């Protein structure tokens, strides 16, 4: 038995029990997904495969952790053997610090997970205060997220909801698909502020403009029930770039969900059918987000660990051009790498936000 202080030993036992539970669940699912009755049930099979994928990494951690504890116990037992003592002490000097690292790793992996982390994400950028300058900044934010997603190997579908004369946007919607997309992008919801000299400013004065970013998990068909009778579907001619067909056919689609008042539109696909399908994906996600906010509102207010509230009215980040800096106000992080960030290098910021939330969650468990 490893000789640890009582509190440390109890913590280790707690972690081992939790890891064993996860490992047992992983093995159970590994068997179930091979059964004919499960394979024949598409919805159940998909659900179990997703859980199997989510648990695979932590199941590997569980196996390695258990083996490490067994190695240390064996080395401890050899300390009582004179001819094995030196070798045992040398082995323990390597294994015990490793156990400390693995214990911390296991703590982080066992933290409560956001059930939506595995989902694709719907990311919306809207120009806020600042007129044309806000539209230009919105274009740059949408481009930043597109580059970040492409760098991760994710699929990006962009729908420009309307441009400005100077090349900016009024609204842009990005459907981003890939593994764990929402877990990374969920921290981006809020007000993003830019400080710079606008191209329209002749006196060289620095102006402040804003854009609003909203990130929502994409809902699956079976999770949001939408009554076709609750929808008003309008078609119209798309505007902007897209080819000659844009001016000849009513390919753009606007869908209004009457009970909630949610309105979505799509115009960047090649046909009315494709635009309708795209708009329905956006609509499902927005309604799912409304339901999620209602269900989690009270809980979210109680959670001290949350990095911001995710509220679209909360200023979360400033992009200062004269100083070449980006500041995330939620965690007080400042980077003097503005150009790199705007080119999609968001790993340091998102990594810091993730670590902050994990650290706060660990504090809550102590």
């Amino acid at each position: 038995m490893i000789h640890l202080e009582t509190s440390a030993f109890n913590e280790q036992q707690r972690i081992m029990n939790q890891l064993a539970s996860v490992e047992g669940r992983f093995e159970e699912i590994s068997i179930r997904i091979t059964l004919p009755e499960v394979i024949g049930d598409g919805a159940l099979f998909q659900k179990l495969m997703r859980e199997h994928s989510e648990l695979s990494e932590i199941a590997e951690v569980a196996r390695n952790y258990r083996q490490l504890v067994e190695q240390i116990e064996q080395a401890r037992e050899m300390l009582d053997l004179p001819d094995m003592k030196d070798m045992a002490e040398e082995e323990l000097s390597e294994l015990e610090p490793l156990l400390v690292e693995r214990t911390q790793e296991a703590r982080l992996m066992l933290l409560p997970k956001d059930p939506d982390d595995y989902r694709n994400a719907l990311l919306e950028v809207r120009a806020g205060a600042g007129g044309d300058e806000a539209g230009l900044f919105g274009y740059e934010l949408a481009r930043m997220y597109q580059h970040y997603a492409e760098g991760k190997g994710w699929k990006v579908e962009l729908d420009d909801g309307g441009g400005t004369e100077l090349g900016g946007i009024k609204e842009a919607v990005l459907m981003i698909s890939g593994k764990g997309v929402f877990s990374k992008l969920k921290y981006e919801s809020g007000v993003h502020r830019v400080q710079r000299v606008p191209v329209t400013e002749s006196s060289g004065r620095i102006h402040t403009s804003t854009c609003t970013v909203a990130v929502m998990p994409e809902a699956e068909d079976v999770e949001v029930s939408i009554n076709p009778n609750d929808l008003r579907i309008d078609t119209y001619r798309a505007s902007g770039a897209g080819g000659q067909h844009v001016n000849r056919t009513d390919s753009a689609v606007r869908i209004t969900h009457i009970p909630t008042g949610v309105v979505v539109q799509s115009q960047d696909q090649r046909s009315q059918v494709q635009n309708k399908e795209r708009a329905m994906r956006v609509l499902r996600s927005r309604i799912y987000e409304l339901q999620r906010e209602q269900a989690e509102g009270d809980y979210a207010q109680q959670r001290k660990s949350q990095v911001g509230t995710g509220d679209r009215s909360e200023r979360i980040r400033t992009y200062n051009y004269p100083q070449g800096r980006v500041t995330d106000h939620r965690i007080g992080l400042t980077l003097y790498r503005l150009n790199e960030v705007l080119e999609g290098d968001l790993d340091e910021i998102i990594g810091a936000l993730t670590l902050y939330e994990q650290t706060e969650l660990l504090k809550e468990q102590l």
Side-chain angles (χ1 to χ4, degrees):
M1 185 63 65
I2 300 176
H3 302 300
L4 298 170
E5 296 294 335
T6 302
S7 59
F9 177 75
N10 290 340
E11 170 71 357
Q12 180 186 295
Q13 288 299 113
R14 182 185 69 81
I15 289 174
M16 289 187 67
N17 290 339
Q18 288 182 286
L19 289 173
S21 177
V22 172
E23 193 175 7
R25 175 62 177 167
F26 178 75
E27 292 173 354
E28 175 193 346
I29 296 175
S30 298
I31 295 173
R32 289 189 65 189
I33 57 178
T34 65
L35 300 177
E37 59 268 29
V38 173
I39 296 174
D41 186 335
L44 176 60
F45 182 73
Q46 185 179 21
K47 178 182 177 182
L48 290 177
M49 284 298 294
R50 183 185 303 122
E51 187 178 358
H52 187 269
S53 176
E54 292 170 1
L55 294 179
S56 61
E57 185 177 358
I58 194 169
E60 180 67 22
V61 168
R63 286 190 289 270
N64 292 337
Y65 192 85
R66 186 180 66 252
Q67 292 170 2
L68 180 59
V69 170
E70 291 172 354
Q71 286 179 285
I72 293 176
E73 289 178 346
Q74 293 169 1
R76 284 283 182 184
E77 292 172 357
M78 289 192 299
L79 289 173
D80 296 328
L81 304 175
D83 56 340
M84 303 290 287
K85 183 178 179 180
D86 289 345
M87 185 175 69
E89 288 178 343
E90 181 179 353
E91 189 171 353
L92 287 170
S93 68
E94 297 177 0
L95 295 179
E96 288 181 334
L98 183 58
L99 180 63
V100 174
E101 295 178 15
R102 293 284 174 81
T103 298
Q104 180 65 9
E105 177 187 3
R107 283 196 192 101
L108 292 174
M109 297 199 75
L110 289 168
L111 287 173
K113 298 290 191 299
D114 184 334
D116 291 320
D117 275 354
Y118 74 91
R119 295 178 185 269
N120 300 328
L122 169 68
L123 188 149
E124 300 176 340
V125 180
R126 289 191 178 91
D132 287 334
E133 171 65 7
L136 290 170
F137 179 49
Y139 168 81
E140 291 169 3
L141 285 179
R143 179 176 173 272
M144 176 182 77
Y145 291 122
Q146 187 169 5
H147 285 186
Y148 175 72
E150 289 170 350
K152 295 291 182 185
W154 299 336
K155 179 183 177 183
V156 183
E157 300 173 61
L158 173 64
D159 197 329
D160 181 351
T164 67
E165 292 182 1
L166 295 180
I169 61 158
K170 296 176 182 177
E171 175 185 87
V173 179
L174 290 81
M175 295 293 300
I176 305 176
S177 308
K179 184 176 180 181
V181 171
F182 185 71
S183 68
K184 298 290 187 183
L185 291 176
K186 62 183 178 181
Y187 301 110
E188 295 302 298
S189 287
V191 175
H192 294 241
R193 182 176 69 169
V194 63
Q195 295 173 327
R196 65 184 177 188
V197 178
V199 294
T200 55
E201 176 59 54
S202 59
S203 65
R205 290 185 303 164
I206 296 173
H207 285 229
T208 298
S209 303
T210 63
C211 283
T212 300
V213 175
V215 183
M216 293 164 276
E218 183 181 8
E220 297 174 1
D221 294 0
V222 296
E223 295 171 315
V224 177
S225 177
I226 297 177
N227 187 338
N229 294 327
D230 290 336
L231 301 178
R232 184 172 70 245
I233 301 176
D234 303 305
T235 58
Y236 59 98
R237 292 187 180 180
S239 60
Q244 292 183 352
H245 78 285
V246 168
N247 297 319
R248 295 203 310 266
T249 64
D250 293 338
S251 61
V253 174
R254 181 185 299 109
I255 302 178
T256 302
H257 185 246
I258 298 171
T260 61
V262 174
V263 180
V264 299
Q265 60 186 24
S266 179
Q267 68 170 18
D268 282 7
Q269 304 303 305
R270 300 293 296 180
S271 71
Q272 187 180 118
V273 172
Q274 291 173 321
N275 277 318
K276 181 180 178 181
E277 180 182 343
R278 172 73 180 278
M280 285 300 298
R281 288 176 63 191
V282 175
L283 180 64
R284 279 194 296 270
S285 296
R286 288 188 182 172
I287 294 176
Y288 178 80
E289 177 70 3
L290 287 175
Q291 295 172 349
R292 198 172 76 108
E293 288 176 352
Q294 292 170 358
E296 298 181 357
D298 294 338
Y299 175 66
Q301 289 178 3
Q302 297 170 4
R303 275 194 57 197
K304 297 178 182 179
S305 64
Q306 198 171 33
V307 182
T309 63
D311 193 307
R312 301 180 192 185
S313 64
E314 178 190 11
R315 187 191 72 187
I316 64 168
R317 193 173 300 150
T318 295
Y319 305 75
N320 184 289
Y321 274 68
Q323 298 178 21
R325 66 172 169 84
V326 179
T327 298
D328 195 288
H329 303 290
R330 294 164 293 180
I331 55 176
L333 173 67
T334 295
L335 302 177
Y336 289 89
R337 298 192 302 106
L338 175 64
N339 291 335
E340 292 89 336
V341 169
L342 288 173
E343 285 298 319
D345 185 1
L346 293 170
D347 283 333
E348 188 171 357
I349 296 175
I350 291 176
L353 289 164
T354 303
L355 179 60
Y356 176 84
E357 184 167 37
Q358 290 175 337
T359 302
E360 293 301 303
L361 281 169
L362 284 173
K363 289 179 182 177
E364 290 180 9
Q365 292 190 348
L366 296 179

